[in-house]
């Protein structure tokens, strides 16, 4: 299938005065095919959100994209001028964020915030864009659309706010949607609704999705390809089935052992990963997972293992596979 | 919005009543007999004459009776007469209010003109040299007491020009240019501290807003930076900024009392100070009442403006 997005060797660092640099994203590469759902999985602080934001150059102003390529339909997004990236954002690639309350402008009505996208990309006038916004809210199954259009974000429930975010992201029919932990701030019952809303809409439209999450249950249900991230690196990348049935990297293995599985009869014993993720400003030359790993040897301490194709379309970065 | 306005207006009156009551009783606490104070130690009046005056001025009644009399008078805009000049308090206040209003307005205007652009520049050049320079200046201005700067300014003016500023009464409506000339220096000195605080305030408001999640959302929609700033950042930064400048205006009324005293400007502030020195009871009550009304009214305006800007305040408790 046709590849629409190629990310190569992406590095986003936080340079700080008088303190060591935080290497939040340190050499991430992956590809997104048309219509595919890719999951970026990892613990909090592993750089998955920063790497997703860096694709559209939305990384926080305190950070810098040091090097790398983000090829979108042949153009390097990291090199195009600012006006050009504004045309890609929201139109070709749309984003959904973690916390829908803080991600919506508190002083603007829902209607104005959604119609803004149409005004920007389709040059629609006020009334047309307002009608389009109404259509989008209907599409994401928001009840009582008329009154929601003139409501402010604080007047809606968490689930409704995230539906508004989804409506905003879908409004220009983008080719790729980046969903950055779209359900983290929601309660469990709404999580399922929002996820199936996002994934069904994207599947129907043949739209590719990058799903950033730490929830392995969500990944198993929706993802085609899974990238496991640890301390700014992708440590394993494979099809969804391969990740769950034949994990190669010790981190993936440990991660799967630490979550309950409903596909195993009688359940499984939950084994937590000992220790904490390393601090991203104190990384040595070796494998970042070394301190918590069961397979570690002196080689792991000295040298970072490169990511290599172990079997077909199954990549892992470990010296001991 | 209507609900909020009505609710806020209804709140205005109980607060007014409480402050007016406080004002009355606090002034009663001031030691010394106002009539004796008015005529000095060697009073030409006999005891009988003083007693008669007390009856005439209503000072022989109980404190509660005087309180209700005063409230009744205030409601009818009758503020009594001065023990000294014999003119009505209302007349004096009406004559002097424009001077103080002019001084405070000029000062607030100056601080706005100085601090908003400086704050924006400081936020925009975050941690670069313009930011460092402006932050140094603001800290300096915050640390210098304005009455001290005022005295210094007078000394400098006296040595350089031989006079500081005109202290005659200038009607701001009849002679606006001379009035501004008179008021500019004290207004400028009054504006220095809020200029420092305001610069830092605007700076941090801008820095905070630009890191908000909804700014990122606006960018992710493909809005150009100019529109992100104008449509999303500025309105959100405005709420704390409006509150800040509103409160600074109220503080400026207090500062005006000090400035008028130092520069000898005949406004409400010097009226208060003179009346307090000479126990001119009704003048004191009346002039402080006016300052109170200003403060309460400004508070009302700030609240209504914030509600206009922020729907979360507007729809609160609905």
């Amino acid at each position: 299938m046709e590849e629409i997005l190629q990310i190569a060797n992406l590095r986003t660092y936080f340079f700080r005065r008088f303190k060591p640099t935080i290497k939040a994203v340190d050499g991430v590469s992956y590809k997104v095919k048309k219509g595919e759902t890719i999951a970026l999985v990892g613990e909090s602080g592993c750089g998955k959100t920063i790497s997703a934001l860096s694709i559209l150059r939305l990384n926080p102003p305190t950070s810098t994209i040091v090097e790398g390529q983000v090829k979108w339909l042949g153009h390097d997004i990291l090199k195009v001028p600012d006006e050009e990236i504004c045309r890609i954002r929201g139109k070709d690639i749309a984003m959904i964020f973690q916390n829908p309350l803080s991600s919506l402008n508190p002083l603007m009505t829902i209607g104005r915030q959604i119609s803004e996208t149409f005004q920007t990309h389709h040059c629609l006038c006020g009334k047309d864009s307002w009608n389009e916004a109404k259509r989008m809210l209907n599409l994401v199954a928001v009840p009582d659309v008329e009154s929601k259009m003139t409501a402010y974000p604080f007047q809606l429930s968490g689930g409704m706010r995230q539906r508004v975010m989804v409506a905003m992201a879908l409004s220009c029919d983008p080719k790729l949607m980046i969903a950055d932990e779209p359900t983290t701030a929601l309660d469990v019952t709404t999580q399922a609704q929002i996820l199936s809303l996002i994934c069904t809409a994207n599947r129907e439209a043949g739209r590719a999705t990058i799903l950033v999450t730490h929830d392995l249950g969500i990944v198993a249900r929706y993802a085609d390809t899974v990238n496991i991230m640890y301390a700014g690196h992708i440590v394993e990348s494979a099809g969804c089935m391969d990740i769950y049935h034949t994990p190669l990297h010790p981190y993936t293995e440990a991660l799967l052992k630490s979550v309950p599985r409903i596909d195993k009869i009688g359940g499984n014993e939950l084994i937590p990963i000992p220790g904490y993720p390393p601090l991203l400003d104190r990384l040595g030359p070796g494998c970042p997972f070394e301190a918590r790993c069961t397979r570690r040897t002196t080689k792991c301490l000295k040298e970072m293992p490169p990511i290599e194709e172990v079997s077909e379309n199954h990549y892992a970065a470990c010296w001991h596979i | 919005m209507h609900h909020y306005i009505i609710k806020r207006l209804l709140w205005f009156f109980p607060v007014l009543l409480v402050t007016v009551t406080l004002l009355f009783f606090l002034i009663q606490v001031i030691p010394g007999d106002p009539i004796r104070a008015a005529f000095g130690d060697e009073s030409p009046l006999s005891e009988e004459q003083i007693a008669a005056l007390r009856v005439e001025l209503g000072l022989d009644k109980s404190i509660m009776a005087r309180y209700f009399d005063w409230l009744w008078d205030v409601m009818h805009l009758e503020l009594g007469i001065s023990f000294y000049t014999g003119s009505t308090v209302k007349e004096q206040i009406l004559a002097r209010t424009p001077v103080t209003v002019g001084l405070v307005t000029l000062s607030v205007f100056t601080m706005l003109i100085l601090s908003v652009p400086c704050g924006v520049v400081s936020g925009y050049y975050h941690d670069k040299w313009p930011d460092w320079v402006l932050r140094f200046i603001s800290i300096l201005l915050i640390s210098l007491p304005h009455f001290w700067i005022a005295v210094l300014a007078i000394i400098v003016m006296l040595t350089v020009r031989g006079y500081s500023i005109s202290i005659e009464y200038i009607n701001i409506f009849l002679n606006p240019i001379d009035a501004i000339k008179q008021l500019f220096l004290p207004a400028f000195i009054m504006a220095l501290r809020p200029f420092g605080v305001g610069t830092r305030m605007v700076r941090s408001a801008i820095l905070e807003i630009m890191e908000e999640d909804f700014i990122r959302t606006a960018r992710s929609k493909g809005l150009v930076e100019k529109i992100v700033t104008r449509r999303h950042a500025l309105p959100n930064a405005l709420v704390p900024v409006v509150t800040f400048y509103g409160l600074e205006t109220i503080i400026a009324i207090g500062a005006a009392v000090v400035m008028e005293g130092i520069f000898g400007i005949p406004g409400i502030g010097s009226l208060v100070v003179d009346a307090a020195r000479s126990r001119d009871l009704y003048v004191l009550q009346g002039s402080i009442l006016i300052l109170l009304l200003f403060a309460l009214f400004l508070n009302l305006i700030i609240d209504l403006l914030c509600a206009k800007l922020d729907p979360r305040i507007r729809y609160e408790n609905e």
Side-chain angles (χ1 to χ4, degrees):
Chain A
M1 256 225 267
E2 187 195 347
E3 282 166 3
I4 50 173
L5 183 76
Q6 291 135 321
I7 299 168
N9 202 22
L10 181 68
R11 288 175 207 272
T12 306
Y13 292 175
F14 288 80
F15 292 107
R16 300 179 299 173
R17 210 178 303 201
F18 312 124
K19 282 183 195 161
T21 300
I22 300 176
K23 299 177 176 180
V25 181
D26 203 10
V28 162
S29 310
Y30 60 92
K31 296 179 175 97
V32 183
K33 296 191 193 93
K34 203 174 169 221
E36 183 187 34
T37 300
I38 287 220
L40 268 182
V41 189
E43 288 166 276
S44 335
C46 72
K48 54 190 193 299
T49 295
I50 301 293
S51 76
L53 290 172
S54 301
I55 295 174
L56 281 175
R57 287 175 17 199
L58 288 170
N59 53 307
T62 41
S63 64
T64 320
I65 300 176
V66 187
E67 64 165 300
Q69 273 187 331
V70 176
K71 276 228 163 115
W72 171 252
L73 304 172
H75 302 282
D76 189 351
I77 293 185
L78 300 183
K79 296 216 172 63
V80 298
D82 285 349
E83 315 89 70
E84 191 72 31
I85 195 144
C86 285
R87 251 170 272 153
I88 296 173
R89 286 176 185 166
K91 186 162 184 270
D92 288 348
I93 306 176
M95 276 199 87
I96 299 173
F97 299 98
Q98 208 174 100
N99 185 340
L101 179 59
S102 63
S103 297
L104 289 166
N105 186 340
L107 308 186
M108 251 169 132
T109 58
I110 301 300
R112 272 188 68 203
Q113 295 195 50
I114 303 176
S115 39
E116 208 177 25
T117 323
F118 291 104
Q119 288 163 8
T120 313
H121 294 298
H122 294 313
C123 303
L124 286 182
C125 72
K127 205 177 160 229
D128 288 345
S129 64
W130 188 262
N131 289 331
E132 285 294 302
K134 254 195 266 184
R135 189 176 61 83
M136 292 317 299
L137 277 187
N138 272 318
L139 198 76
V140 296
V142 166
D144 194 13
V145 168
E146 281 296 333
S147 75
K148 293 289 187 303
M149 286 291 282
T150 52
Y152 290 92
F154 74 98
Q155 293 169 313
L156 304 185
S157 67
M160 279 307 135
R161 285 175 203 144
Q162 197 58 297
R163 277 174 201 270
V164 170
M165 286 296 290
V166 175
M168 234 152 65
L170 291 177
S171 49
C172 286
D173 191 17
K175 298 185 187 75
L176 170 69
M177 181 193 280
I178 303 171
D180 177 17
E181 306 204 34
T183 56
T184 312
L186 305 177
D187 60 62
V188 187
T189 46
T190 17
Q191 279 187 5
Q193 293 171 5
I194 296 293
L195 269 172
S196 75
L197 176 73
I198 295 173
C199 293
T200 321
N202 288 353
R203 199 150 289 168
E204 276 170 9
R207 182 181 300 123
T209 315
I210 297 177
L211 189 63
V212 179
T213 181
H214 57 249
D215 189 332
L216 287 165
I218 292 174
V219 175
R221 173 93 169 73
Y222 296 104
D224 301 316
T225 307
V226 183
N227 291 326
I228 309 282
M229 272 191 85
Y230 190 79
H233 301 272
I234 291 182
V235 293
E236 183 163 3
S237 169
C240 194
M241 282 299 140
D242 292 340
I243 285 279
Y244 282 87
H245 294 295
T246 52
L248 292 174
H249 197 280
Y251 177 61
T252 317
E253 225 169 49
L255 210 57
L256 288 168
K257 279 188 190 145
S258 67
V259 292
R261 309 259 308 239
I262 48 167
D263 58 342
K264 292 238 168 95
I265 295 157
N268 56 321
E269 194 191 339
L270 300 185
I271 308 163
I273 307 177
Y276 297 96
L279 294 169
L280 294 176
D281 56 350
R282 309 258 161 85
L283 291 177
C287 172
F289 191 58
E290 181 266 337
R292 306 166 83 184
C293 186
T294 47
R295 299 183 203 163
R296 68 170 171 269
T297 57
T298 44
K299 193 180 189 191
C300 305
L301 198 61
K302 283 184 193 133
E303 219 180 320
M304 171 82 200
I307 187 153
E308 279 168 345
E309 188 162 15
V310 180
S311 53
E312 202 196 345
N313 282 327
H314 195 149
Y315 299 81
C318 181
W319 293 119
H320 308 286
I321 295 169
Chain B
M1 188 77 190
H2 302 297
H3 274 90
Y4 184 83
I5 295 177
I6 292 166
K7 209 172 74 182
R8 189 60 188 77
L9 282 176
L10 286 178
W11 262 111
F12 184 77
F13 295 102
V15 173
L16 180 64
L17 185 68
V18 170
T19 43
V20 164
T21 308
L22 266 176
L23 166 66
F24 177 82
F25 286 103
L26 280 177
I27 283 177
Q28 301 308 311
V29 174
I30 297 176
D33 184 284
I35 294 173
R36 283 184 206 282
F39 291 99
D41 282 338
E42 282 132 45
S43 164
L45 302 177
S46 64
E47 287 298 317
E48 289 81 51
Q49 281 174 307
I50 289 178
L53 251 179
R54 296 179 74 87
V55 175
E56 197 190 320
L57 293 169
L59 291 173
D60 59 328
K61 291 187 195 162
S62 77
I63 190 162
M64 286 318 281
R66 271 185 286 146
Y67 168 62
F68 286 113
D69 279 354
W70 187 62
L71 268 192
W72 183 254
D73 287 346
V74 166
M75 273 190 268
H76 292 82
L77 299 176
E78 285 301 331
L79 298 173
I81 57 159
S82 164
F83 296 151
Y84 279 90
T85 58
S87 59
T88 65
V89 176
K90 198 164 46 173
E91 238 168 60
Q92 294 194 24
I93 286 174
L94 281 180
R96 281 163 175 250
T97 302
V99 178
T100 304
V101 169
L103 180 64
V104 170
T105 313
L106 206 58
S107 162
V108 169
F109 203 63
T110 316
M111 75 165 120
L112 273 173
I113 284 189
L114 290 175
S115 62
V116 172
C118 285
V120 172
V121 166
S122 198
Y124 189 80
Y125 290 99
H126 173 51
D127 266 351
K128 299 200 177 70
W129 71 265
D131 184 29
W132 287 106
V133 171
L134 285 168
R135 277 161 78 183
F136 175 75
I137 295 175
S138 349
I139 279 289
L140 193 74
L141 293 178
I142 293 167
S143 343
L144 298 176
H146 60 292
F147 51 84
W148 180 72
I149 301 181
V151 174
L152 270 191
I154 291 177
I155 295 172
V156 171
M157 297 282 272
L158 284 175
T159 24
V160 175
R161 297 202 315 197
Y163 65 98
S164 78
I165 61 167
S166 130
I167 55 166
E168 62 190 325
Y169 178 81
I170 300 170
N171 190 318
I172 200 162
F173 299 112
L174 297 180
N175 210 343
I177 292 173
D178 281 347
I180 288 174
K181 269 189 197 158
Q182 178 191 32
L183 297 177
F184 182 74
L185 183 66
F188 184 76
I189 292 169
M190 270 164 67
L192 287 179
R193 192 198 54 85
F195 162 43
V197 187
T199 303
R200 296 181 72 90
M201 161 80 208
V202 172
R203 171 184 182 270
S204 67
I206 283 182
L207 285 179
E208 254 168 54
I209 291 294
M210 291 318 273
E211 284 190 6
E212 289 281 352
D213 287 349
F214 61 82
I215 295 296
R216 191 177 59 191
T217 309
R219 287 190 183 129
S220 83
K221 284 197 264 187
L223 303 184
V224 292
E225 208 53 32
K226 213 163 64 188
I227 292 182
V228 172
T229 313
R230 200 192 309 146
R231 207 183 285 166
H232 294 267
L234 280 183
N236 275 285
L238 221 52
V239 178
V241 169
V242 163
T243 312
F244 168 78
Y245 285 107
L247 293 176
E248 277 302 330
T249 311
I250 295 175
I251 297 172
I253 296 175
V257 175
V258 179
M259 278 301 137
E260 285 175 12
I262 295 174
F263 281 94
I265 303 163
I268 291 278
S270 44
L271 189 66
V272 172
V273 175
D274 292 345
R277 280 209 191 106
S278 55
R279 318 270 184 289
D280 202 344
L281 207 62
Y282 291 118
V283 178
L284 189 59
Q285 278 176 352
S287 45
I288 295 182
L289 180 70
I290 286 300
L291 295 183
L292 268 179
L293 278 176
F294 274 144
L296 286 179
F297 185 66
L298 277 168
N299 243 323
L300 179 74
I301 301 278
I302 301 168
D303 281 359
L304 292 182
L305 260 179
C306 285
K308 178 84 194 130
L309 292 170
D310 191 341
R312 282 167 297 184
I313 302 172
R314 204 150 71 216
Y315 293 107
E316 192 183 35
N317 312 328
E318 247 179 46

